[in-house]
Amino acid sequence: MKPIAFILSILTFPLLGQFISQPLAALDTGGGTVQLDARNSSGVLLFFTSVRCPYDDYYLSRMNDLHERFGKSVRFYFINSSLEDTPAAILSKVKGMSSAIPYLNDREQSVKRAVAVNRTTECVLLKPERGGFTVIYKGPVDDNPQVAADADRNFLRDALEDFLAGKPVKSADARVAGCLIREP
């Protein structure tokens, strides 16, 4: 990698422990602005998704299960940063889903850029502090996108357990299986 490209990659991909001072907000399915916050919770979990990527649907039941288990302590959000997905397509998708997790449209890609995500199904766990957030986990849900029962490593579940137990969160050493989120 050329030195300039390496420097740019450091600037655009936050490391674990990076502090995000800017407010994070996206639109709900009705077009209203939702501030991503951690009121009455220990943290915020972002799951990047889209209408069209088949991998996203594989993880819906797993995200619902994790929300059921950890949702009282951590706020969960589905974040759609896909430029190809219209508000109507997103609304149709949400109506067909069975989930209590809020589904937000990040059409301006401000949340995506703040946490430097580039694929759907990528998860980011944020710890609120000092009026902003610190990235404490960024990676996949597990190591088997197609068959939940065949997953050997449950990276996100382990990260949530460690975080809530006050232990250091381990980073995932696996690639995220999902679709590329295009930028303008």
Side-chain angles (χ1 to χ4, degrees):
M1 182 182 299
K2 294 183 179 182
I4 191 76
F6 177 72
I7 291 168
L8 288 174
S9 70
I10 289 173
L11 295 174
T12 58
F13 295 101
L15 302 173
L16 294 181
Q18 178 187 347
F19 183 71
I20 300 167
S21 60
Q22 68 202 51
L24 299 175
L27 301 176
D28 63 20
T29 55
T33 301
V34 175
Q35 284 281 4
L36 306 184
D37 64 45
R39 281 178 290 171
N40 304 318
S41 66
S42 300
V44 171
L45 177 74
L46 309 176
F47 178 84
F48 285 81
T49 188
S50 72
V51 170
R52 298 181 178 147
C53 185
Y55 286 101
D56 300 14
D57 291 336
Y58 296 146
Y59 280 111
L60 179 59
S61 65
R62 285 176 259 192
M63 290 307 296
N64 284 335
D65 291 345
L66 289 168
H67 181 256
E68 181 71 27
R69 182 170 172 194
F70 298 105
K72 288 184 175 47
S73 301
V74 174
R75 284 190 183 259
F76 282 60
Y77 295 98
F78 286 121
I79 305 290
N80 184 322
S81 298
S82 175
L83 298 176
E84 292 88 9
D85 295 346
T86 65
I90 291 171
L91 185 57
S92 177
K93 169 92 174 189
V94 170
K95 286 182 178 179
M97 292 172 60
S98 175
S99 182
I101 302 171
Y103 193 108
L104 304 177
N105 183 349
D106 181 38
R107 186 125 184 104
E108 300 298 318
Q109 296 187 330
S110 61
V111 177
K112 172 200 173 305
R113 282 191 304 277
V115 296
V117 166
N118 61 14
R119 298 188 95 61
T120 63
T121 80
E122 191 161 6
C123 301
V124 180
L125 181 57
L126 303 170
K127 178 181 178 183
E129 54 190 10
R130 300 177 288 156
F133 296 101
T134 298
V135 176
I136 60 170
Y137 175 82
K138 185 175 169 200
V141 174
D142 57 35
D143 64 353
N144 194 321
Q146 292 181 307
V147 183
D150 290 345
D152 293 320
R153 299 182 67 198
N154 293 286
F155 303 111
L156 181 56
R157 183 200 63 205
D158 295 346
L160 286 162
E161 287 175 349
D162 288 346
F163 170 60
L164 293 172
K167 298 178 184 175
V169 175
K170 298 168 202 72
S171 63
D173 56 355
R175 185 176 167 271
V176 174
C179 299
L180 190 64
I181 302 171
R182 269 189 340 108
E183 294 191 15

